[in-house]
Amino acid sequence: MTPSTPTESHWRFSTVTGYFYQSEPTTDPNTFNYASSNFGLIPRAYPTDADLGPNNNNQKTTWERFAHHVRTLNAQSTDPNVRYKVLFLGRHGEGYHNVAEREYGTEEWDKHYSLLPGNGTSNWVDARLTEVGKSQARTAHNTWKQQLKEHHIPTPEKFYVSPLNRCLETAWITFVGTGMDGTEPFRPVVKELLRETIGQHTCDGRSSKTAIMTEYPTYIIEEGFTEDDEMYDAELRESDSARDKRFRDLMQDIFSTDEEKVFLSLTAHSGAITSLLNVFGHRRFSPLETGGVIPVFVRGERVQGPLPVMEVEPWFGVPK
């Protein structure tokens, strides 16, 4: 008999609701505070609580029972092509570009100021964090430490970070010193595709590979990462649907690379997180404040056949 040829496959994603407030339609993104709400984990019973026994169950925190539930779903899944993961999506703290957009208004920012390197007072090429932005990252740091100490939150088994400086620094402030596994030294993976909407805005062009490695020598630069930013285009800006496709492709990579890992951290951007939520079929949760964190409980199913073609709008030119 002729051996069969493996067929092509891809991942299909959906959000598992009923576990985090952010996925529930009654939660108002404008007033929700992740730091005072256990990152949004809903207090509830799980069908797997009985596994822990009456004595142990009473002593376990909600996060411990939730982690046991998710790991049990993976271990006892009757379909080997189904994997469950929890992704902590963190937005960078406030950058100098965020301050400028507030000052000039979004319309003028998009049309003019975002195309400049700065305004003579502030520079926003590969924008860095303001002092407010650093404070917001420290809030995330303190929230993680408090959750670890009081609630025994499961720690990320792998950390990913956008190559833009505001995310590189946010991740460092957030996780270094928490005592989590993988943070001493802190070695997140820098992923090119995890960046913000590409093009035009000078704040969304990244620094060179050498500059990133010099400033963050413990960070792991993914294979194939080019020395200079070959994705940035000063004349064209990525459309929302093209960005969604980019993040769908990124999650194909991450789910395949980290198939056995359950809890992951991604430090990224507003547009990036918007696209990730779209890819996962999550409700819109906007605005996610600078420095904010949103966990998403994701079901991934490996489906036979090629990744479906996704219709995308073309990139658009510099506004006039």
PDB file of all heavy atoms in Angstrom, residues 124-146:
ATOM      1  N   TRP A 124       8.233  60.993  18.436  1.00  0.00           N
ATOM      2  CA  TRP A 124       7.419  59.782  18.502  1.00  0.00           C
ATOM      3  C   TRP A 124       7.766  58.764  17.417  1.00  0.00           C
ATOM      4  O   TRP A 124       6.966  57.899  17.079  1.00  0.00           O
ATOM      5  CB  TRP A 124       5.926  60.119  18.485  1.00  0.00           C
ATOM      6  CG  TRP A 124       5.483  61.071  17.418  1.00  0.00           C
ATOM      7  CD1 TRP A 124       5.333  60.835  16.092  1.00  0.00           C
ATOM      8  CD2 TRP A 124       5.090  62.443  17.619  1.00  0.00           C
ATOM      9  NE1 TRP A 124       4.888  61.947  15.439  1.00  0.00           N
ATOM     10  CE2 TRP A 124       4.712  62.958  16.352  1.00  0.00           C
ATOM     11  CE3 TRP A 124       5.011  63.274  18.730  1.00  0.00           C
ATOM     12  CZ2 TRP A 124       4.283  64.269  16.184  1.00  0.00           C
ATOM     13  CZ3 TRP A 124       4.576  64.569  18.555  1.00  0.00           C
ATOM     14  CH2 TRP A 124       4.217  65.061  17.296  1.00  0.00           C
ATOM     15  N   VAL A 125       8.966  58.833  16.874  1.00  0.00           N
ATOM     16  CA  VAL A 125       9.430  57.747  16.000  1.00  0.00           C
ATOM     17  C   VAL A 125       9.682  56.531  16.890  1.00  0.00           C
ATOM     18  O   VAL A 125      10.424  56.624  17.867  1.00  0.00           O
ATOM     19  CB  VAL A 125      10.717  58.153  15.258  1.00  0.00           C
ATOM     20  CG1 VAL A 125      11.265  56.971  14.467  1.00  0.00           C
ATOM     21  CG2 VAL A 125      10.445  59.329  14.331  1.00  0.00           C
ATOM     22  N   ASP A 126       9.057  55.401  16.557  1.00  0.00           N
ATOM     23  CA  ASP A 126       9.102  54.220  17.428  1.00  0.00           C
ATOM     24  C   ASP A 126       8.893  54.685  18.869  1.00  0.00           C
ATOM     25  O   ASP A 126       9.734  54.498  19.748  1.00  0.00           O
ATOM     26  CB  ASP A 126      10.421  53.458  17.281  1.00  0.00           C
ATOM     27  CG  ASP A 126      10.381  52.088  17.964  1.00  0.00           C
ATOM     28  OD1 ASP A 126       9.288  51.657  18.407  1.00  0.00           O
ATOM     29  OD2 ASP A 126      11.448  51.445  18.068  1.00  0.00           O
ATOM     30  N   ALA A 127       7.716  55.258  19.092  1.00  0.00           N
ATOM     31  CA  ALA A 127       7.447  56.033  20.312  1.00  0.00           C
ATOM     32  C   ALA A 127       7.770  55.279  21.598  1.00  0.00           C
ATOM     33  O   ALA A 127       7.507  54.088  21.725  1.00  0.00           O
ATOM     34  CB  ALA A 127       5.975  56.443  20.325  1.00  0.00           C
ATOM     35  N   ARG A 128       8.325  56.038  22.537  1.00  0.00           N
ATOM     36  CA  ARG A 128       8.654  55.494  23.849  1.00  0.00           C
ATOM     37  C   ARG A 128       7.578  55.862  24.869  1.00  0.00           C
ATOM     38  O   ARG A 128       6.706  56.695  24.604  1.00  0.00           O
ATOM     39  CB  ARG A 128      10.021  56.007  24.301  1.00  0.00           C
ATOM     40  CG  ARG A 128      11.155  55.418  23.468  1.00  0.00           C
ATOM     41  CD  ARG A 128      12.510  55.939  23.868  1.00  0.00           C
ATOM     42  NE  ARG A 128      13.558  55.223  23.132  1.00  0.00           N
ATOM     43  CZ  ARG A 128      14.192  54.146  23.594  1.00  0.00           C
ATOM     44  NH1 ARG A 128      13.891  53.658  24.784  1.00  0.00           N
ATOM     45  NH2 ARG A 128      15.121  53.563  22.877  1.00  0.00           N
ATOM     46  N   LEU A 129       7.663  55.236  26.034  1.00  0.00           N
ATOM     47  CA  LEU A 129       6.691  55.474  27.084  1.00  0.00           C
ATOM     48  C   LEU A 129       6.917  56.825  27.753  1.00  0.00           C
ATOM     49  O   LEU A 129       8.055  57.241  27.988  1.00  0.00           O
ATOM     50  CB  LEU A 129       6.780  54.385  28.156  1.00  0.00           C
ATOM     51  CG  LEU A 129       6.469  52.949  27.747  1.00  0.00           C
ATOM     52  CD1 LEU A 129       6.567  52.039  28.977  1.00  0.00           C
ATOM     53  CD2 LEU A 129       5.101  52.834  27.106  1.00  0.00           C
ATOM     54  N   THR A 130       5.821  57.493  28.078  1.00  0.00           N
ATOM     55  CA  THR A 130       5.878  58.659  28.947  1.00  0.00           C
ATOM     56  C   THR A 130       6.003  58.173  30.390  1.00  0.00           C
ATOM     57  O   THR A 130       5.914  56.980  30.676  1.00  0.00           O
ATOM     58  CB  THR A 130       4.606  59.495  28.806  1.00  0.00           C
ATOM     59  OG1 THR A 130       3.488  58.713  29.291  1.00  0.00           O
ATOM     60  CG2 THR A 130       4.344  59.885  27.354  1.00  0.00           C
ATOM     61  N   GLU A 131       6.163  59.100  31.318  1.00  0.00           N
ATOM     62  CA  GLU A 131       6.188  58.710  32.735  1.00  0.00           C
ATOM     63  C   GLU A 131       4.841  58.112  33.148  1.00  0.00           C
ATOM     64  O   GLU A 131       4.785  57.192  33.964  1.00  0.00           O
ATOM     65  CB  GLU A 131       6.547  59.914  33.607  1.00  0.00           C
ATOM     66  CG  GLU A 131       8.003  60.346  33.480  1.00  0.00           C
ATOM     67  CD  GLU A 131       8.967  59.207  33.778  1.00  0.00           C
ATOM     68  OE1 GLU A 131       8.752  58.487  34.785  1.00  0.00           O
ATOM     69  OE2 GLU A 131       9.937  59.029  33.000  1.00  0.00           O
ATOM     70  N   VAL A 132       3.758  58.631  32.572  1.00  0.00           N
ATOM     71  CA  VAL A 132       2.437  58.052  32.835  1.00  0.00           C
ATOM     72  C   VAL A 132       2.399  56.609  32.322  1.00  0.00           C
ATOM     73  O   VAL A 132       1.886  55.704  33.000  1.00  0.00           O
ATOM     74  CB  VAL A 132       1.322  58.887  32.180  1.00  0.00           C
ATOM     75  CG1 VAL A 132      -0.017  58.151  32.225  1.00  0.00           C
ATOM     76  CG2 VAL A 132       1.198  60.238  32.866  1.00  0.00           C
ATOM     77  N   GLY A 133       2.941  56.397  31.121  1.00  0.00           N
ATOM     78  CA  GLY A 133       2.960  55.054  30.551  1.00  0.00           C
ATOM     79  C   GLY A 133       3.750  54.074  31.400  1.00  0.00           C
ATOM     80  O   GLY A 133       3.347  52.912  31.580  1.00  0.00           O
ATOM     81  N   LYS A 134       4.872  54.536  31.941  1.00  0.00           N
ATOM     82  CA  LYS A 134       5.663  53.672  32.828  1.00  0.00           C
ATOM     83  C   LYS A 134       4.885  53.356  34.102  1.00  0.00           C
ATOM     84  O   LYS A 134       4.936  52.226  34.611  1.00  0.00           O
ATOM     85  CB  LYS A 134       6.992  54.352  33.161  1.00  0.00           C
ATOM     86  CG  LYS A 134       7.903  54.520  31.957  1.00  0.00           C
ATOM     87  CD  LYS A 134       9.161  55.318  32.313  1.00  0.00           C
ATOM     88  CE  LYS A 134      10.016  55.568  31.079  1.00  0.00           C
ATOM     89  NZ  LYS A 134      11.233  56.363  31.386  1.00  0.00           N
ATOM     90  N   SER A 135       4.154  54.344  34.605  1.00  0.00           N
ATOM     91  CA  SER A 135       3.332  54.127  35.794  1.00  0.00           C
ATOM     92  C   SER A 135       2.231  53.104  35.511  1.00  0.00           C
ATOM     93  O   SER A 135       1.908  52.260  36.363  1.00  0.00           O
ATOM     94  CB  SER A 135       2.722  55.449  36.261  1.00  0.00           C
ATOM     95  OG  SER A 135       1.846  55.253  37.349  1.00  0.00           O
ATOM     96  N   GLN A 136       1.631  53.173  34.315  1.00  0.00           N
ATOM     97  CA  GLN A 136       0.599  52.207  33.955  1.00  0.00           C
ATOM     98  C   GLN A 136       1.176  50.789  33.875  1.00  0.00           C
ATOM     99  O   GLN A 136       0.524  49.820  34.281  1.00  0.00           O
ATOM    100  CB  GLN A 136      -0.027  52.605  32.616  1.00  0.00           C
ATOM    101  CG  GLN A 136      -0.867  53.865  32.709  1.00  0.00           C
ATOM    102  CD  GLN A 136      -1.259  54.411  31.352  1.00  0.00           C
ATOM    103  OE1 GLN A 136      -0.602  54.169  30.333  1.00  0.00           O
ATOM    104  NE2 GLN A 136      -2.356  55.172  31.310  1.00  0.00           N
ATOM    105  N   ALA A 137       2.395  50.666  33.362  1.00  0.00           N
ATOM    106  CA  ALA A 137       3.046  49.357  33.328  1.00  0.00           C
ATOM    107  C   ALA A 137       3.344  48.862  34.737  1.00  0.00           C
ATOM    108  O   ALA A 137       3.247  47.654  35.017  1.00  0.00           O
ATOM    109  CB  ALA A 137       4.321  49.420  32.490  1.00  0.00           C
ATOM    110  N   ARG A 138       3.691  49.777  35.635  1.00  0.00           N
ATOM    111  CA  ARG A 138       3.927  49.371  37.027  1.00  0.00           C
ATOM    112  C   ARG A 138       2.625  48.918  37.689  1.00  0.00           C
ATOM    113  O   ARG A 138       2.636  48.030  38.557  1.00  0.00           O
ATOM    114  CB  ARG A 138       4.562  50.518  37.809  1.00  0.00           C
ATOM    115  CG  ARG A 138       6.038  50.741  37.480  1.00  0.00           C
ATOM    116  CD  ARG A 138       6.719  51.672  38.471  1.00  0.00           C
ATOM    117  NE  ARG A 138       6.263  53.045  38.334  1.00  0.00           N
ATOM    118  CZ  ARG A 138       6.813  53.937  37.520  1.00  0.00           C
ATOM    119  NH1 ARG A 138       7.846  53.603  36.749  1.00  0.00           N
ATOM    120  NH2 ARG A 138       6.344  55.181  37.465  1.00  0.00           N
ATOM    121  N   THR A 139       1.502  49.510  37.284  1.00  0.00           N
ATOM    122  CA  THR A 139       0.209  49.039  37.787  1.00  0.00           C
ATOM    123  C   THR A 139      -0.015  47.585  37.368  1.00  0.00           C
ATOM    124  O   THR A 139      -0.467  46.752  38.179  1.00  0.00           O
ATOM    125  CB  THR A 139      -0.935  49.917  37.260  1.00  0.00           C
ATOM    126  OG1 THR A 139      -0.798  51.244  37.790  1.00  0.00           O
ATOM    127  CG2 THR A 139      -2.295  49.357  37.649  1.00  0.00           C
ATOM    128  N   ALA A 140       0.291  47.270  36.115  1.00  0.00           N
ATOM    129  CA  ALA A 140       0.173  45.887  35.657  1.00  0.00           C
ATOM    130  C   ALA A 140       1.118  44.978  36.443  1.00  0.00           C
ATOM    131  O   ALA A 140       0.744  43.862  36.833  1.00  0.00           O
ATOM    132  CB  ALA A 140       0.478  45.805  34.165  1.00  0.00           C
ATOM    133  N   HIS A 141       2.342  45.455  36.695  1.00  0.00           N
ATOM    134  CA  HIS A 141       3.314  44.701  37.484  1.00  0.00           C
ATOM    135  C   HIS A 141       2.760  44.402  38.876  1.00  0.00           C
ATOM    136  O   HIS A 141       2.789  43.242  39.341  1.00  0.00           O
ATOM    137  CB  HIS A 141       4.601  45.522  37.592  1.00  0.00           C
ATOM    138  CG  HIS A 141       5.622  44.940  38.523  1.00  0.00           C
ATOM    139  ND1 HIS A 141       6.619  44.089  38.103  1.00  0.00           N
ATOM    140  CD2 HIS A 141       5.806  45.098  39.870  1.00  0.00           C
ATOM    141  CE1 HIS A 141       7.365  43.733  39.134  1.00  0.00           C
ATOM    142  NE2 HIS A 141       6.892  44.345  40.215  1.00  0.00           N
ATOM    143  N   ASN A 142       2.241  45.426  39.538  1.00  0.00           N
ATOM    144  CA  ASN A 142       1.721  45.245  40.888  1.00  0.00           C
ATOM    145  C   ASN A 142       0.482  44.357  40.903  1.00  0.00           C
ATOM    146  O   ASN A 142       0.265  43.597  41.864  1.00  0.00           O
ATOM    147  CB  ASN A 142       1.400  46.607  41.511  1.00  0.00           C
ATOM    148  CG  ASN A 142       2.649  47.437  41.763  1.00  0.00           C
ATOM    149  OD1 ASN A 142       3.736  46.901  41.945  1.00  0.00           O
ATOM    150  ND2 ASN A 142       2.501  48.759  41.738  1.00  0.00           N
ATOM    151  N   THR A 143      -0.329  44.457  39.842  1.00  0.00           N
ATOM    152  CA  THR A 143      -1.518  43.607  39.756  1.00  0.00           C
ATOM    153  C   THR A 143      -1.124  42.147  39.630  1.00  0.00           C
ATOM    154  O   THR A 143      -1.702  41.274  40.302  1.00  0.00           O
ATOM    155  CB  THR A 143      -2.388  44.029  38.565  1.00  0.00           C
ATOM    156  OG1 THR A 143      -2.763  45.402  38.705  1.00  0.00           O
ATOM    157  CG2 THR A 143      -3.653  43.177  38.477  1.00  0.00           C
ATOM    158  N   TRP A 144      -0.136  41.846  38.798  1.00  0.00           N
ATOM    159  CA  TRP A 144       0.351  40.473  38.670  1.00  0.00           C
ATOM    160  C   TRP A 144       0.888  39.978  40.012  1.00  0.00           C
ATOM    161  O   TRP A 144       0.593  38.840  40.433  1.00  0.00           O
ATOM    162  CB  TRP A 144       1.431  40.392  37.604  1.00  0.00           C
ATOM    163  CG  TRP A 144       0.917  40.179  36.220  1.00  0.00           C
ATOM    164  CD1 TRP A 144       0.859  41.098  35.203  1.00  0.00           C
ATOM    165  CD2 TRP A 144       0.385  38.965  35.675  1.00  0.00           C
ATOM    166  NE1 TRP A 144       0.324  40.537  34.069  1.00  0.00           N
ATOM    167  CE2 TRP A 144       0.034  39.228  34.324  1.00  0.00           C
ATOM    168  CE3 TRP A 144       0.181  37.700  36.196  1.00  0.00           C
ATOM    169  CZ2 TRP A 144      -0.528  38.246  33.489  1.00  0.00           C
ATOM    170  CZ3 TRP A 144      -0.377  36.707  35.374  1.00  0.00           C
ATOM    171  CH2 TRP A 144      -0.722  36.995  34.046  1.00  0.00           C
ATOM    172  N   LYS A 145       1.680  40.787  40.690  1.00  0.00           N
ATOM    173  CA  LYS A 145       2.260  40.352  41.967  1.00  0.00           C
ATOM    174  C   LYS A 145       1.166  40.081  43.003  1.00  0.00           C
ATOM    175  O   LYS A 145       1.237  39.099  43.761  1.00  0.00           O
ATOM    176  CB  LYS A 145       3.242  41.399  42.490  1.00  0.00           C
ATOM    177  CG  LYS A 145       4.533  41.495  41.697  1.00  0.00           C
ATOM    178  CD  LYS A 145       5.598  42.312  42.398  1.00  0.00           C
ATOM    179  CE  LYS A 145       6.171  41.565  43.583  1.00  0.00           C
ATOM    180  NZ  LYS A 145       7.348  42.257  44.156  1.00  0.00           N
ATOM    181  N   GLN A 146       0.166  40.949  43.031  1.00  0.00           N
ATOM    182  CA  GLN A 146      -0.930  40.760  43.975  1.00  0.00           C
ATOM    183  C   GLN A 146      -1.738  39.498  43.643  1.00  0.00           C
ATOM    184  O   GLN A 146      -2.110  38.722  44.536  1.00  0.00           O
ATOM    185  CB  GLN A 146      -1.839  41.994  43.961  1.00  0.00           C
ATOM    186  CG  GLN A 146      -2.981  41.956  44.950  1.00  0.00           C
ATOM    187  CD  GLN A 146      -4.327  41.702  44.285  1.00  0.00           C
ATOM    188  OE1 GLN A 146      -4.467  41.844  43.062  1.00  0.00           O
ATOM    189  NE2 GLN A 146      -5.302  41.346  45.074  1.00  0.00           N
TER     190      GLN A 146
END
